[in-house]
Amino acid sequence: MTTLARSVTGGVDTHLDVHVAAALDEKGTLLGVEYFETTRAGYKKLLAWFENFGPVVLVGVEGTSSYGAGLTRHLHAEGVAVVEVDRPNRQRRRRKGKSDPEDAISAARAACSGDASGAAKTQDGNVEAIRVIRLARLSARRSRTLALNQMRSLISTAPDPVRDELRHLSVPRMLERAASYRPGTKTDLVSLTKWTLRTLARRAIALENEIKSLDDILKPLVVETAPKLVSALGIGTDSAAALLVAAGDNPHRLRSEAAFAHLCGTSPIDASSGKHERHRLNRTGDRQANSALWHIVITRMVYDARTTAYIERRMKEGLTKKEAFRCLKRYIAREVYGLLPMDRLTA
């Protein structure tokens, strides 16, 4: 009789400094639990530890886009299939307690049983670079908005000479005027208010220049990655970037346009029970991608006669404007899925 090598399914509970790995055989029997450092050498030892039990067919990793990103990239480079594992069920945690080895075993069982079936993002190409640039751009935009709001609040309560000078100016003129203040070294209220406004104005201008420099990198990168997507009506650089980041560097991991729509939170969720058949609003998924689809609908409402006609027709059928928008987001998600650069990113 010949003895077949047993196949191994792994599970990893990821942390900042140490990963906990668990290995199961094809029958779900626990083979072992071990700890590994979150370094390149640690990733190699982890995979070698799995392979000591037999050929590795699948590894379930918790947090593939956070603490498990480095390990996920290493496993993909070695040709090992990786699936994203959600955190363990809270009811199960209350019954059995919480520990890192238990979480690793749960991750392995979820991968082995098929409960965790979503392929992890590779995070090794243009889309990952787009995600990194967008991260800095979004934080710069938030900080600029905060500085402008603080300036408006200060102007509304500032002494009369300062308030009368700035209150009716547009944002560019307000920033230009406040940034040119020379309050001197006086410590009276007017001087200190001008000094504060100058600080906030120069901060907002610096952040605006930072955003422009990031856009100079982001726009050509998005065009190079998905030329068909950015050429579609109503899809600008920011919306295209958000949708690409949601799909990842390996969009073929999304089995269908319905899976992409669910990822973007635009697919209704079945909430039927007994004789009652109904669907509820999907509030999960990538909210930035969902917001991008909403902005596409708003833009097409202005420039696309078909979109306007569709909204009017659905409202005549009894839907509210918000409900008609949700229907349109589902259709646009289907369109976007067909424009994702499957061949370019998987070649």
Side-chain angles (χ1 to χ4, degrees):
M1 294 179 63
T2 58
T3 302
L4 298 177
R6 59 186 173 190
S7 59
V8 176
T9 301
V12 184
D13 180 35
T14 59
H15 298 276
L16 179 61
D17 299 315
V18 175
H19 291 338
V20 184
L24 306 177
D25 64 13
E26 67 276 7
K27 297 179 181 179
T29 304
L30 180 63
L31 302 175
V33 178
E34 191 56 76
Y35 292 76
F36 299 92
E37 293 183 351
T38 57
T39 61
R40 284 181 291 180
Y43 301 152
K44 292 179 181 180
K45 290 179 181 178
L46 185 149
L47 182 56
W49 181 77
F50 279 145
E51 291 174 339
N52 285 337
F53 297 109
V56 182
V57 295
L58 186 65
V59 177
V61 179
E62 184 179 338
T64 58
S65 295
S66 55
Y67 290 146
L71 175 62
T72 301
R73 279 193 290 267
H74 178 77
L75 293 174
H76 278 141
E78 296 296 327
V80 178
V82 182
V83 292
E84 170 74 36
V85 176
D86 295 330
R87 68 179 184 181
N89 182 273
R90 291 183 178 180
Q91 291 180 342
R92 185 175 181 276
R93 277 187 170 181
R94 280 195 289 268
R95 289 196 304 268
K96 292 193 173 184
K98 164 72 174 74
S99 70
D100 294 340
E102 281 294 329
D103 288 348
I105 295 170
S106 296
R109 296 202 185 283
C112 186
S113 65
D115 288 342
S117 58
K121 296 178 181 179
T122 56
Q123 296 182 294
D124 58 357
N126 279 5
V127 175
E128 178 63 10
I130 290 170
R131 186 190 71 83
V132 172
I133 295 297
R134 283 192 79 245
L135 182 67
R137 187 179 184 277
L138 288 173
S139 65
R141 284 180 58 186
R142 283 195 295 266
S143 299
R144 181 179 180 273
T145 301
L146 178 61
L148 289 175
N149 289 340
Q150 290 172 335
M151 286 188 68
R152 292 190 183 98
S153 177
L154 277 176
I155 290 170
S156 67
T157 59
D160 291 340
V162 178
R163 186 173 73 251
D164 294 341
E165 183 180 7
L166 299 176
R167 65 189 302 181
H168 298 300
L169 297 180
S170 63
V171 171
R173 293 289 304 278
M174 178 184 69
L175 291 176
E176 181 183 358
R177 185 71 188 92
S180 65
Y181 277 153
R182 296 180 180 275
T185 58
K186 295 181 180 180
T187 57
D188 60 285
L189 178 59
V190 173
S191 297
L192 291 179
T193 301
K194 286 186 175 181
W195 184 87
T196 303
L197 288 171
R198 184 184 68 174
T199 300
L200 291 171
R202 291 181 177 181
R203 181 187 303 171
I205 292 171
L207 288 168
E208 187 173 348
N209 293 331
E210 183 180 323
I211 292 170
K212 289 179 180 177
S213 65
L214 291 169
D215 284 339
D216 291 340
I217 301 172
L218 183 63
K219 186 172 182 179
L221 189 59
V222 172
V223 172
E224 176 191 349
T225 305
K228 292 182 180 179
L229 185 61
V230 292
S231 64
L233 178 63
I235 304 181
T237 301
D238 193 50
S239 295
L243 294 167
L244 285 171
V245 169
D249 279 299
N250 50 335
H252 58 281
R253 71 193 179 90
L254 303 169
R255 298 182 297 275
S256 64
E257 57 87 16
F260 179 69
H262 186 74
L263 174 65
C264 296
T266 59
S267 58
I269 303 297
D270 193 0
S272 302
S273 178
K275 297 180 180 180
H276 299 281
E277 294 185 6
R278 70 180 190 88
H279 291 77
R280 64 173 177 83
L281 185 63
N282 187 352
R283 298 191 181 278
T284 60
D286 190 309
R287 304 319 296 174
Q288 291 187 9
N290 189 285
S291 176
L293 293 174
W294 184 85
H295 280 94
I296 294 170
V297 172
I298 293 297
T299 304
R300 290 187 177 183
M301 280 283 292
V302 179
Y303 298 103
D304 186 14
R306 296 177 306 163
T307 301
T308 305
Y310 177 85
I311 294 291
E312 292 176 352
R313 177 171 62 84
R314 296 310 301 268
M315 290 179 67
K316 289 179 181 178
E317 294 173 357
L319 296 184
T320 65
K321 196 170 186 178
K322 280 187 177 181
E323 290 170 340
F325 273 30
R326 290 166 188 159
C327 295
L328 261 179
K329 287 199 296 183
R330 177 64 181 86
Y331 287 127
I332 292 174
R334 179 180 301 162
E335 177 187 343
V336 167
Y337 180 78
L339 298 174
L340 292 176
M342 301 287 186
D343 297 335
R344 292 169 61 89
L345 295 182
T346 57

